[in-house]
Amino acid sequence: MLHDFLHLKAPGHWINDPNGFIYYKGKYHLFYQHFPYLPRWGTMHWGHAVSDDLVHWEHRGIALYPSKAYDRNGVFSGTAVEVDGALRLYYTAVRYDEENPDNVHRALDNRFAASQALVISPDGETFDNLDAKRQVLPVMAGGAAGDPQNTRDPKVWRAADGSFRMVLGSTWKGIGQLLFYRSPDGLTWTAAGRFGDEALGTTLECPDLFCLEGRWVLLGSPMGITADGLAYPDQSTWMPVTFDETTCTLALEGRPTFVDWGLDLYAPQTTLDAEGRRVLIGWIRMPGPVTDAPDGRAPWRGMMSLPRLVCWRDGQLCFPVHPNVTACFTEPAQGLAPLADHRPVRLQGKLRDGQGWNIGGLRIRREGDRLLTDRSEVFGGLTGYRLTAEAPAGTAAACALDVFVEENLVEIFLDGGRAVVSLVVRGLGDTLAGDFDAVTTVRDN
Ligand code: FRU
């Protein structure tokens, strides 16, 4: 059985979005978009992993795969809900208008039809893709009723009165939309309204809507919002909203803010952890495969971020690293060459104005109340990607840094999660220079 520690990585080949993230019957279940043949996107499946603590992951193979005419070309993103002890997995079913004759894993001219479907698992272990699968919403009719192609990623939850709500990401006249549905049982659905705004990009992907300490948050992944020619044009944001669960009426209460300022993270999902805290995991987009995995897995591309809590502080949503992660970093590594072996390393310290750190070639520096990062020395000379990123003004007021370093990814938590900057790196060196308060690593796992 394949295992991952801290970050869930592709078990080989390709992964993208987290799906069906849930704490169910005493275990965390994390599903994910998966193409099991090559380290690039193709016919989507749901891979599956489980964990007792959000940091030790056991891969469980493929849970959902194309099996019906309506999902024969892909099982796209969606969410999980526990109902009467069973695990329901809602997802978007994809059927290409025509397959590309040279690669049946892609649609010809990128034309396809999307509907919404459900698999009910009795136990979170078995997934009957033939008899327990059903379509719950047909392909949309078009226009204001919903785009027949770009309507996807059902987020399903139980409302306060026990009935069900669904929100889908969509597009209309080139503007991102939310489509709401209501259901008494989660099986039969009726349309309950629509909301569109340019803040939702050209198409909204992977909407997540939740009430946190009495205030609603819309988390989503609007397409085309950083379309400056650099990867990636689609970015994940959060917005404060008002939302009436009975009428499904939504209004924006503020401008969108990036979930992660490194701009590699995408399509995050949240759920409640064992203690009832909201926790977020996002897909970390990688520009190419890792080909020399020490555990012998096939070339792999795509991983999940560290789990992060989601909480309000001074009217801002903050994303501090989950305490189950920090609890692993028990071993002092100061004075050693902590980046020379390949264990994960945690760096803590404060930067004064003008000061910086060098983390194996990744440069970070404080300028006033901003944090600037530069990965040009550790990105394999690739072009077309952002090499610098910055946490915006105000987020580095104290500039207390908590940084988690592993071979392919550096995650910088600023001032207790007021901003997070996650950066994919390639070929990190051994140099570690800076004024650190603590350098720690983990016990062998
Ligand atoms: C986001 C996304 C989703 C879709 C899935 C397909 O990255 O495009 O909207 O369901 O990936 O893999």
Side-chain angles (χ1 to χ4, degrees):
M1 200 59 92
L2 190 61
H3 290 88
D4 272 320
F5 174 54
L6 294 172
H7 300 93
L8 184 77
K9 303 184 175 84
H13 314 297
W14 168 273
I15 71 171
N16 53 289
D17 317 356
N19 295 153
F21 185 26
I22 191 169
Y23 184 65
Y24 169 74
K25 293 189 174 164
K27 276 194 189 300
Y28 294 96
H29 290 254
L30 183 57
F31 302 83
Y32 51 84
Q33 291 285 280
H34 183 38
F35 183 57
Y37 304 130
L38 281 174
R40 63 162 111 135
W41 192 91
T43 303
M44 281 292 120
H45 299 55
W46 277 29
H48 182 205
V50 296
S51 172
D52 289 329
D53 57 7
L54 292 168
V55 295
H56 296 87
W57 291 101
E58 183 179 305
H59 284 272
R60 288 284 174 87
I62 288 169
L64 306 187
Y65 55 86
S67 58
K68 305 286 183 185
Y70 54 81
D71 73 2
R72 60 169 291 128
N73 298 109
V75 177
F76 273 24
S77 288
T79 49
V81 201
E82 179 176 352
V83 182
D84 300 332
L87 187 65
R88 291 194 185 178
L89 304 178
Y90 291 89
Y91 69 93
T92 298
V94 166
R95 186 182 173 129
Y96 296 160
D97 293 5
E98 231 178 296
E99 288 160 357
N100 178 335
D102 290 326
N103 175 2
V104 298
H105 299 291
R106 303 299 294 237
L108 188 66
D109 301 328
N110 195 32
R111 280 185 287 108
F112 60 89
S115 58
Q116 314 310 320
L118 161 68
V119 170
I120 302 181
S121 163
D123 51 11
E125 303 291 331
T126 49
F127 305 92
D128 184 339
N129 281 258
L130 291 176
D131 293 334
K133 199 183 252 189
R134 67 179 92 185
Q135 207 177 20
V136 291
L137 278 178
V139 177
M140 300 286 160
D147 189 82
Q149 170 163 340
N150 291 308
T151 296
R152 56 179 171 266
D153 308 339
K155 156 86 187 188
V156 175
W157 75 101
R158 283 193 103 145
D161 66 1
S163 64
F164 292 78
R165 300 289 177 275
M166 179 193 291
V167 60
L168 294 163
S170 190
T171 182
W172 189 33
K173 297 182 175 168
I175 295 175
Q177 308 283 315
L178 297 168
L179 303 183
F180 293 102
Y181 285 81
R182 237 191 314 256
S183 168
D185 53 10
L187 304 174
T188 316
W189 295 88
T190 26
R194 184 179 62 78
F195 174 86
D197 193 284
E198 273 162 11
L200 308 186
T202 53
T203 295
L204 187 75
E205 299 192 301
C206 303
D208 191 356
L209 184 60
F210 52 84
C211 188
L212 182 67
E213 296 158 27
R215 300 173 61 188
W216 284 87
V217 177
L218 171 65
L219 194 80
S221 296
M223 297 183 79
I225 58 167
T226 53
D228 57 2
L230 289 177
Y232 305 92
D234 313 332
Q235 294 297 340
S236 300
T237 61
W238 68 270
M239 284 164 255
V241 295
T242 51
F243 180 65
D244 182 327
E245 228 178 23
T246 311
T247 58
C248 291
T249 315
L250 183 138
L252 299 186
E253 293 296 318
R255 298 305 304 160
T257 305
F258 290 128
V259 172
D260 188 299
W261 295 85
L263 306 188
D264 290 333
L265 180 144
Y266 195 62
Q269 261 195 9
T270 69
T271 192
L272 298 180
D273 73 3
E275 277 80 45
R277 295 171 294 202
R278 194 152 285 272
V279 53
L280 172 146
I281 283 185
W283 165 40
I284 300 292
R285 298 177 279 201
M286 296 170 62
V290 175
T291 52
D292 55 355
D295 59 12
R297 72 183 76 189
W300 63 273
R301 182 171 173 195
M303 64 195 286
M304 296 301 164
S305 70
L306 286 175
R308 302 158 185 195
L309 294 180
V310 185
C311 53
W312 288 111
R313 216 182 298 145
D314 312 325
Q316 288 298 308
L317 212 55
C318 294
F319 303 97
V321 64
H322 194 282
N324 292 5
V325 172
T326 50
C328 296
F329 288 81
T330 50
E331 308 303 300
Q334 214 134 15
L336 308 173
L339 297 185
D341 71 34
H342 290 300
R343 283 189 298 173
V345 175
R346 178 184 187 192
L347 309 170
Q348 290 167 275
K350 268 194 177 176
L351 284 180
R352 284 196 304 276
D353 197 7
Q355 273 187 329
W357 291 353
N358 177 356
I359 307 168
L362 171 71
R363 312 272 175 172
I364 67 181
R365 188 163 50 88
R366 174 177 178 178
E367 255 183 35
D369 60 358
R370 294 175 307 151
L371 184 80
L372 311 184
T373 70
D374 183 349
R375 63 176 164 188
S376 24
E377 286 173 39
V378 284
F379 209 63
L382 295 177
T383 54
Y385 294 87
R386 285 165 224 284
L387 298 176
T388 59
E390 76 179 63
T395 50
C399 214
L401 297 179
D402 199 357
V403 181
F404 296 84
V405 185
E406 72 154 89
E407 235 178 314
N408 309 104
L409 181 65
V410 178
E411 285 159 287
I412 305 168
F413 293 82
L414 200 56
D415 290 355
R418 196 170 284 276
V420 190
V421 187
S422 303
L423 300 163
V424 168
V425 289
R426 290 158 72 91
L428 214 54
D430 296 348
T431 313
L432 190 56
D435 194 5
F436 307 111
D437 294 335
V439 182
T440 45
T441 184
V442 298
R443 228 175 276 250
D444 284 336
N445 270 275

